[in-house]
Amino acid sequence: MLESRLTAPSQSGRNPTGLAGGKAVRKPLWRRAKGKERDALLWGDEIEYLVVAVDDEHKKVRLSLRQADILAALAKDESLQQQGGCVPDLQEVERNGDTLPVFHPEFGRFMLEATPGKPWGIGFKDLLDVEPNMKWRRIIAKDHMTANEFPITLTTFPRLGAKDDFITPYYPPSGEKLRSQFLPDEIANPHIRFPTLAANIRARRGRKVEINVPIFKDEKTPWPFHDPTVDYDLHKWPEDDDVRNGAAKEGHVYMDGMAFGMGSCCLQITFQAKNITEGRTLYDQLSPLGPILMALTAATPIYKGFLVDTDVRWNQISASVDDRTAEELGETPLKNDRWRIPKSRYASNSTYIALDPRLRKEYLDPDLVIDEDVKARLVQGGMDPLLATHFAHLFIRDPIVIFSEDLQSLDLSKTDHFENLQSTNWQHMRFKPPPADNESIGWRVEFRPMEIQMTDFENAAFAVFMVLITRAVLSFDLNFYIPIQKVTENMQTAHKRNAVLEERFWFRKNPFPDPQHHHNSRTPTRNGSGASTPHINGEHDDTFDPATAPADTNLPPVESEYTLLTINEIINGQSPSSSSSSSSTTPETTTTTLFPGLLPLLDTYLSSINIPLSDRCKLNSYLSLISRRASGQLKTPATWIREFVRAHDRYAGDSVVGPELEFDLVKAVTGIMDGSVEAGFVSREEDEVFVAGGGARKKHPDDDCGE
């Protein structure tokens, strides 16, 4: 399905980092790509589906492992072929006319990935086409499945890894690659890259991955809780000793395979920036928003047939690909490894990268681990120290999979080595240079933390919201900088049950530019798209490095720039009157002491441009969902699922989500997706108008929001 090449053998899971890493950084990527310009921002969304097989007769639902068959059916469809095709891994795909969506394989054999057939623009027609396109993707996928199969957008399958036949066809667990007590190797895509990825993570780590999620303690949950599905007497593989050595924690649901994390679905947005400067600005300014959007989209309260005491997927995926050794984890003294590494390779960002005069030294991680040799080589090659630090941090990791022939020769026209390391550093933002083999693609930024939503309306709403945020950031030169350690702390806060309503997050108080101060005497100069870069005497300053810059004594303490806010305050504003207060919603004003709210900022942006009233009203239906989710008027999917389980007559109050309960849950989800079942967390509000500052009101005749 994908290009099949032999994977280079590893020694104890260690790949030759020095060789691969050296080749990666010696490639002239920087010199070729740093000046690339695009005409305008483009963007795309990525939807991931679970494919489920529903057995109505026996009230049983299973994951269908027919990914390859479904993709083959899509590729062989003559009607789709005449429209250009939609499976680039199996056929030549042409882009013409009403471009078909594109389908790709994913890690799990029960998963499909779907993207638009061509990038979206920033025009409002494109924004309003996103939801119909998402619906079209789901219809096409369903049309190439069996009658009892459905593409659903749940983050995880509720009983993945349970002690029953949760997959079809059935395979027994504990294969050679995963060596999981709960999952078979056949659950992963059979292409050599995927099982090798799982095996090398386990081999490099020296034990299986260890995923422990706190159990949700209900009225009849056994306490102290010990995961009853764990087999302490299994002796098939050496790694079976893990549980006897304490891998399964008291009070937690225990999982031991990569598929428990990489078998999760998400909503991902990729932005192609006008140039590298704009891309670096978006990377930095969207980074603090990651934890906020993750909590807003929370959708993962069940693992392995148990209600858990978290609402999102991130930490579970992080643990599922954590290849750090005992030395790197700090469990034993450093002897064979170079560093102690504080985060998994799937983690929140640890760097800021924009050449922005507002980027203070105090925002950076003083304990950031980097490969100094890599940084020195990048700087010597012309890269500025700040961006070189970012890539030198990524390069502290070993590559997990290397194809043997890639180690034999160095092809300077390709970027395989770089992409090998870049693509297996899964941070909540990803900064992507232009590919060497496609001149039409520019600098890109991936926004990765959002959970997949059950309906296409919700997924479109969050996609559109993020696009509008990028427009407001660049147009108003907004500043969301807080210390990167606070972003990391926020990512953990976002995991807490009902964090969207019950937790507070570190966030910048005043997002507007301050015209009275320029960092280190550098004048912020607009680059034509709203971003600003440090200049000295009109020249671009490639030596700017806030990590080594002297502290500016004219600035207030960093701690005075941010505070703890609820998500409602971040999204809708701190004051109910913020929508009518020009001092808190216009970027020209910087004296505000209350955070204006992201939605009122978008309201100001939309009011400043020429947009048809009917389009504005349609966009408001999306923004109203965001507003009401933040205020608690609408539930998160995680809250809805948890309440569905606890109210079900098959639930015994013991945290267990049994097969029949799971069946009814999935049936309800499919009903919500096709509109036959109403849910308290989804409402299109065709008869409501978004009110900047929070919530929505009923539409009255004077609003004139007709089509």
Side-chain angles (χ1 to χ4, degrees), residues 116-185:
K118 59 183 179 181
W120 299 114
I122 60 172
F124 293 104
K125 181 184 183 301
D126 278 13
L127 294 182
L128 296 176
D129 283 344
V130 171
E131 184 185 353
N133 188 274
M134 289 180 175
K135 290 179 179 294
W136 190 26
R137 292 176 229 173
R138 198 188 296 264
I139 290 170
I140 292 174
K142 173 59 183 143
D143 286 346
H144 294 81
M145 298 177 184
T146 63
N148 73 321
E149 289 178 332
F150 298 90
I152 67 172
T153 41
L154 283 179
T155 312
T156 60
F157 188 66
R159 289 180 56 81
L160 175 67
K163 294 291 189 179
D164 59 14
D165 58 336
F166 59 88
I167 53 174
T168 179
Y170 175 78
Y171 296 95
S174 199
E176 181 181 4
K177 298 297 184 182
L178 292 180
R179 302 190 181 182
S180 169
Q181 284 200 15
F182 313 105
L183 304 173
D185 285 357

Side-chain angles (χ1 to χ4, degrees), residues 316-522:
Q316 285 70 262
I317 307 179
S318 177
S320 78
V321 293
D322 191 354
D323 67 338
R324 288 175 296 170
T325 66
E327 292 181 20
E328 290 168 337
L329 286 164
E331 297 174 349
T332 59
L334 285 175
K335 181 178 179 182
N336 300 308
D337 294 304
R338 299 174 64 187
W339 305 285
R340 288 184 177 169
I341 303 177
K343 295 180 180 179
S344 165
R345 63 196 306 144
Y346 196 114
S348 60
N349 291 1
S350 296
T351 58
Y352 288 124
I353 63 174
L355 292 172
D356 191 321
R358 304 167 300 184
L359 178 55
R360 298 176 60 173
K361 179 177 184 177
E362 296 91 336
Y363 300 155
L364 305 178
D365 182 356
D367 300 315
L368 184 71
V369 181
I370 67 170
D371 188 319
E372 294 287 357
D373 179 59
V374 167
K375 179 178 178 179
R377 279 192 268 175
L378 291 172
V379 171
Q380 184 180 15
M383 187 178 289
D384 62 87
L386 190 63
L387 191 58
T389 297
H390 168 76
F391 287 118
H393 172 63
L394 300 186
F395 273 65
I396 65 174
R397 312 285 179 177
D398 279 350
I400 308 177
V401 173
I402 299 179
F403 295 110
S404 55
E405 58 267 39
D406 286 345
L407 297 177
Q408 305 306 315
S409 62
L410 176 61
D411 186 345
L412 292 177
S413 68
K414 295 182 179 180
T415 57
D416 293 1
H417 292 300
F418 171 79
E419 291 298 340
N420 192 7
L421 278 168
Q422 164 94 336
S423 65
T424 54
N425 273 276
W426 297 280
Q427 299 187 340
H428 84 274
M429 300 287 302
R430 181 179 283 158
F431 185 62
K432 301 179 69 173
D437 58 353
N438 192 330
E439 287 296 321
S440 67
I441 298 177
W443 291 89
R444 293 149 295 155
V445 175
E446 290 180 359
F447 188 77
R448 303 169 49 81
M450 291 190 290
E451 307 250 292
I452 197 72
Q453 305 294 281
M454 293 188 203
T455 67
D456 299 310
F457 171 67
E458 294 167 279
N459 287 314
F462 281 100
V464 168
F465 173 75
M466 288 307 305
V467 174
L468 293 177
I469 286 290
T470 66
R471 297 301 85 202
V473 164
L474 296 174
S475 296
F476 297 152
D477 205 14
L478 297 177
N479 178 8
F480 295 133
Y481 277 126
I482 60 174
I484 197 69
Q485 301 96 314
K486 295 299 183 184
V487 177
T488 299
E489 184 178 334
N490 282 348
M491 286 290 282
Q492 296 310 307
T493 301
H495 282 75
K496 295 182 180 180
R497 176 163 43 92
N498 205 24
V500 67
L501 298 181
E502 297 180 8
E503 299 298 330
R504 295 196 299 164
F505 295 77
W506 296 109
F507 212 76
R508 191 174 185 87
K509 296 177 182 178
N510 180 8
F512 300 131
D514 182 358
Q516 298 180 351
H517 180 80
H518 305 310
H519 186 55
N520 291 337
S521 301
R522 289 172 166 84

Side-chain angles (χ1 to χ4, degrees), residues 4 19 50 59 66-67 104 127 132 271 337 345 409 442 447 459 464 499 575 643 664 696:
S4 294
L19 178 58
L50 303 177
K59 292 188 177 297
R66 292 198 328 107
Q67 175 195 89
H104 297 279
L127 294 182
F271 302 98
D337 294 304
R345 63 196 306 144
S409 62
F447 188 77
N459 287 314
V464 168
S575 169
E643 291 180 355
D664 288 345

Side-chain angles (χ1 to χ4, degrees), residues 14-218:
R14 303 287 179 88
N15 284 309
T17 308
L19 178 58
K23 288 184 177 182
V25 298
R26 281 198 295 267
K27 295 190 176 189
L29 270 172
W30 178 246
R31 292 189 294 273
R32 284 202 305 259
K34 66 177 180 178
K36 179 171 278 193
E37 294 270 345
R38 301 267 65 86
D39 293 334
L41 181 139
L42 299 174
W43 67 281
D45 67 89
E46 177 183 310
I47 297 286
E48 294 169 337
Y49 305 100
L50 303 177
V51 181
V52 297
V54 177
D55 182 348
D56 288 311
E57 180 181 356
H58 299 99
K59 292 188 177 297
K60 177 73 176 177
V61 61
R62 300 173 178 86
L63 286 171
S64 171
L65 303 188
R66 292 198 328 107
Q67 175 195 89
D69 297 330
I70 295 167
L71 290 171
L74 287 162
K76 293 176 183 177
D77 186 314
E78 293 184 0
S79 174
L80 296 180
Q81 290 176 7
Q82 292 172 1
Q83 298 177 66
C86 61
V87 189
D89 294 297
L90 297 179
Q91 62 188 154
E92 291 292 330
V93 172
E94 298 179 4
R95 302 286 187 264
N96 50 51
D98 192 8
T99 307
L100 285 170
V102 172
F103 295 88
H104 297 279
E106 260 292 347
F107 176 85
R109 284 174 65 185
F110 51 85
M111 303 172 72
L112 289 177
E113 174 190 306
T115 61
K118 59 183 179 181
W120 299 114
I122 60 172
F124 293 104
K125 181 184 183 301
D126 278 13
L127 294 182
L128 296 176
D129 283 344
V130 171
E131 184 185 353
N133 188 274
M134 289 180 175
K135 290 179 179 294
W136 190 26
R137 292 176 229 173
R138 198 188 296 264
I139 290 170
I140 292 174
K142 173 59 183 143
D143 286 346
H144 294 81
M145 298 177 184
T146 63
N148 73 321
E149 289 178 332
F150 298 90
I152 67 172
T153 41
L154 283 179
T155 312
T156 60
F157 188 66
R159 289 180 56 81
L160 175 67
K163 294 291 189 179
D164 59 14
D165 58 336
F166 59 88
I167 53 174
T168 179
Y170 175 78
Y171 296 95
S174 199
E176 181 181 4
K177 298 297 184 182
L178 292 180
R179 302 190 181 182
S180 169
Q181 284 200 15
F182 313 105
L183 304 173
D185 285 357
E186 290 82 1
I187 205 164
N189 186 315
H191 182 270
I192 190 171
R193 174 179 174 84
F194 296 104
T196 304
L197 194 68
N200 281 358
I201 287 173
R202 173 181 47 76
R204 187 186 188 283
R205 178 182 171 85
R207 50 190 165 176
K208 290 189 290 187
V209 295
E210 183 179 309
I211 310 166
N212 283 282
V213 191
I215 191 74
F216 172 71
K217 186 178 180 181
D218 214 336

Side-chain angles (χ1 to χ4, degrees), residues 642-671:
R642 191 182 303 278
E643 291 180 355
F644 180 95
V645 169
R646 298 187 73 198
H648 197 278
D649 58 9
R650 292 278 182 177
Y651 181 64
D654 57 358
S655 308
V656 175
V657 181
E660 288 195 25
L661 200 166
E662 177 189 51
F663 172 83
D664 288 345
L665 173 61
V666 171
K667 290 286 284 187
V669 168
T670 57

